[in-house]
Amino acid sequence: MRAPLPCRSTLQGRDAVRSDHRPLPPPSAAPALSGILAVLHRDGRPVEPASVERMLAVMSQRGVDGVDSLLSGPAALARQHLWETPEDVDQCQPLVDERSGVALVFDGRLDGREWLCEALSLAPTRSLSGPDARLVMEAYLRWGEDVA
């Protein structure tokens, strides 16, 4: 399997403009969710970067806080960011765990951060200030599909 391409941003911040040069909507008109894209070619053929760009363009209104993507052979993940918590600001998703190769895109909010840090035996000072997606990744790596 090829090494994944690094996470890259194509839009930055709420003052950015879309690729068609129209301004992004003001925060009050922002969508309620980030945009998430996932592609898997089961026949093993590689995902073409141009096809990912076209799909992201269709949902460009979701990426008011930036767009990051990851392409690796027959798989692609992307997230058009809508940062809703202080912990989410400036995060890069998809996340990739270097040890396992697991990649994650997460659009959600954890309300039981302290409980989850304790259950994962993580130091609260390190984990409580990080993005929710990082804690979800740690939980998945520990418990697999039972994390849900």
Side-chain angles (χ1 to χ4, degrees), residues 83-142:
W83 295 324
E84 296 200 63
T85 67
E87 295 83 13
D88 289 338
V89 174
D90 294 328
Q91 72 171 314
C92 182
Q93 284 191 42
L95 295 178
V96 178
D97 179 71
E98 298 298 325
R99 293 167 293 167
S100 67
V102 170
L104 172 103
V105 177
F106 178 75
D107 184 41
R109 186 185 85 200
L110 294 176
D111 291 324
R113 295 173 67 84
E114 293 87 0
W115 175 88
L116 186 56
C117 288
E118 185 177 313
L120 290 167
S121 302
L122 298 175
T125 54
R126 185 190 115 211
S127 302
L128 291 177
S129 62
D132 289 347
R134 176 57 54 201
L135 288 176
V136 171
M137 173 72 87
E138 293 294 332
Y140 180 80
L141 292 172
R142 171 80 55 89

Side-chain angles (χ1 to χ4, degrees), residues 1-19:
M1 182 166 134
R2 285 187 329 195
L5 296 177
C7 193
R8 63 176 181 73
S9 294
T10 56
L11 293 175
Q12 293 297 321
R14 293 187 186 266
D15 294 328
V17 294
R18 292 186 174 111
S19 58

